[in-house]
Amino acid sequence: MSSTAQELIPPEAREPGGGRIRRSRGGRVRRLAGRDKVVLALMVGIPTLIELVLVWLPTLMSVGLSFTSWNGLDLADIRPAGTGNYQYITQDYPPFWPAVQHNLLWLLFLALIATPLGLLLAVLLDQNIRGSKIYQSIFFAPVMLSLALIGIIWQLFYQRDNGLLNFLLGTAGTPQAVDWFGDSSVNIWAAMIAATWRHAGYVMLLYLAGLKGVDPSLKEAAAIDGANSVQTFFRVVFPAMRPINIVIVVITIIESLRAFDVVYVINRGTNGLEMLSALVIQNLVGEGQVIGVGSALAVVLLVISLVPIVFYLSRTFGKENKA
């Protein structure tokens, strides 16, 4: 090795009697130094500890409390209840089954209305139209807002006496004005439209990223075969975005299950807006709290939420193993 090349090699990497770089047996990477191990342990250990304390410990406590009867005040009053709380919410708790139906309706609305709307916006904005970046910012803006704030904003649209919607319909201040949030026959639809405003923007952003990642040669090959733009999208582009599609399916299911903020801002999840997440809070917080029942509802919601998560993880890691 020349002297110039020898000088470029760090002293700690040189062989004592020659110019070759030292390697461990089998070509393995050199072990971490003590300080590196400490940094790595802190970087992994601190987030893991926070996750355990703030997520998994309360989850396990909720599972345990779901099998007890407790008023939430005195630990000495905790009594075992077996599966009594689960029997109560499924048989004798009136809001439970309406809440399940509303969550399913919320899921169908997001899946059939909000998600296709987000896909449509993504396809339109992917055409390199003039001002597309401005449109993307406008449609994505609601995603940066909390659902609680979105509920407050949409109250300005849905107010009975001074709301914008009744004003456009010409019924503001008249007996014919619709109480969009107060009428139990229409408030669930009004709340879902408000949630769609946010969900469509989120889906749009994900699909825009997916469309940018599709190989242009696939579109060119489809055009050569005589496929029009619609056929190219549904037969070539959309199947090529399968990973994004799976992510969006999981997100849509989870969003429908965790729907809480909008309905709680409107009327605390009552009078036609019963949702599983709202029932959990109603039984865990405030007067007349029933910790066991609230915990049982939380466990039911957790189990249902785990289904799409397990599905996504199994599909993801299954594909990696096949590869």
Side-chain angles (χ1 to χ4, degrees):
M1 183 179 294
S2 64
S3 59
T4 303
Q6 178 71 18
E7 292 174 357
L8 295 176
I9 302 175
E12 63 274 12
R14 300 175 188 166
E15 288 287 349
R20 295 182 302 170
I21 299 176
R22 290 183 296 179
R23 298 179 183 274
S24 59
R25 293 181 179 179
R28 292 177 298 178
V29 180
R30 187 180 58 183
R31 292 183 179 180
L32 293 174
R35 184 173 62 180
D36 295 335
K37 291 181 179 179
V38 173
V39 173
L40 182 60
L42 290 175
M43 293 177 65
V44 175
I46 293 178
T48 302
L49 181 61
I50 294 175
E51 183 84 7
L52 289 173
V53 172
L54 299 182
V55 177
W56 290 107
L57 182 59
T59 300
L60 295 175
M61 292 178 63
S62 295
V63 174
L65 288 172
S66 67
F67 296 100
T68 65
S69 175
W70 184 36
N71 59 8
L73 299 176
D74 189 358
L75 292 176
D77 291 337
I78 298 179
R79 299 185 303 274
T83 59
N85 292 321
Y86 293 95
Q87 295 176 358
Y88 171 73
I89 62 175
T90 55
Q91 298 176 6
D92 302 317
Y93 188 52
F96 177 74
W97 290 112
V100 173
Q101 294 174 5
H102 292 160
N103 276 104
L104 291 175
L105 180 61
W106 202 283
L107 171 61
L108 292 175
F109 194 89
L110 293 185
L112 300 179
I113 303 297
T115 298
L117 177 60
L119 175 59
L120 176 62
L121 293 174
V123 172
L124 294 176
L125 295 178
D126 189 52
Q127 305 302 315
N128 295 323
I129 61 176
R130 186 176 181 180
S132 60
K133 298 297 182 183
I134 299 176
Y135 294 129
Q136 290 178 28
S137 301
I138 293 173
F139 291 130
F140 183 71
V143 182
M144 297 183 290
L145 305 177
S146 68
L147 280 171
L149 181 56
I150 287 176
I152 295 174
I153 292 174
W154 277 84
Q155 283 183 333
L156 301 177
F157 290 87
Y158 286 137
Q159 285 181 356
R160 178 172 183 175
D161 296 326
N162 301 312
L164 177 62
L165 187 55
N166 279 325
F167 177 78
L168 295 176
L169 293 175
T171 58
T174 67
Q176 290 76 27
V178 179
D179 190 1
W180 298 99
F181 278 165
D183 189 344
S184 59
S185 63
V186 298
N187 56 11
I188 184 67
W189 302 100
M192 288 189 296
I193 291 174
T196 296
W197 186 48
R198 181 179 186 272
H199 184 76
Y202 190 25
V203 172
M204 176 205 70
L205 183 67
L206 294 176
Y207 270 126
L208 270 176
L211 290 170
K212 300 297 183 184
V214 175
D215 189 352
S217 63
L218 296 176
K219 301 179 183 179
E220 296 173 0
I224 293 174
D225 290 339
N228 57 35
S229 57
V230 176
Q231 292 172 332
T232 300
F233 177 77
F234 285 105
R235 297 184 180 181
V236 178
V237 177
F238 191 74
M241 294 191 297
R242 184 177 181 182
I244 299 295
N245 294 331
I246 295 175
V247 170
I248 289 177
V249 168
V250 174
I251 289 175
T252 301
I253 295 174
I254 293 177
E255 285 292 323
S256 67
L257 292 174
R258 63 186 289 268
F260 167 76
D261 311 65
V262 172
V263 299
Y264 205 76
V265 167
I266 295 173
N267 61 9
R268 297 184 178 273
T270 59
N271 189 33
L273 284 178
E274 293 82 3
M275 307 290 285
L276 288 175
S277 55
L279 296 183
V280 173
I281 298 301
Q282 291 172 12
N283 285 275
L284 292 179
V285 180
E287 298 180 0
Q289 58 185 356
V290 186
I291 302 299
V293 173
S295 299
L297 289 166
V299 172
V300 170
L301 191 58
L302 172 65
V303 172
I304 298 175
S305 302
L306 286 176
V307 174
I309 295 174
V310 172
F311 169 76
Y312 171 71
L313 293 177
S314 63
R315 296 299 296 268
T316 302
F317 289 106
K319 290 179 62 177
E320 291 181 356
N321 293 333
K322 291 180 180 179

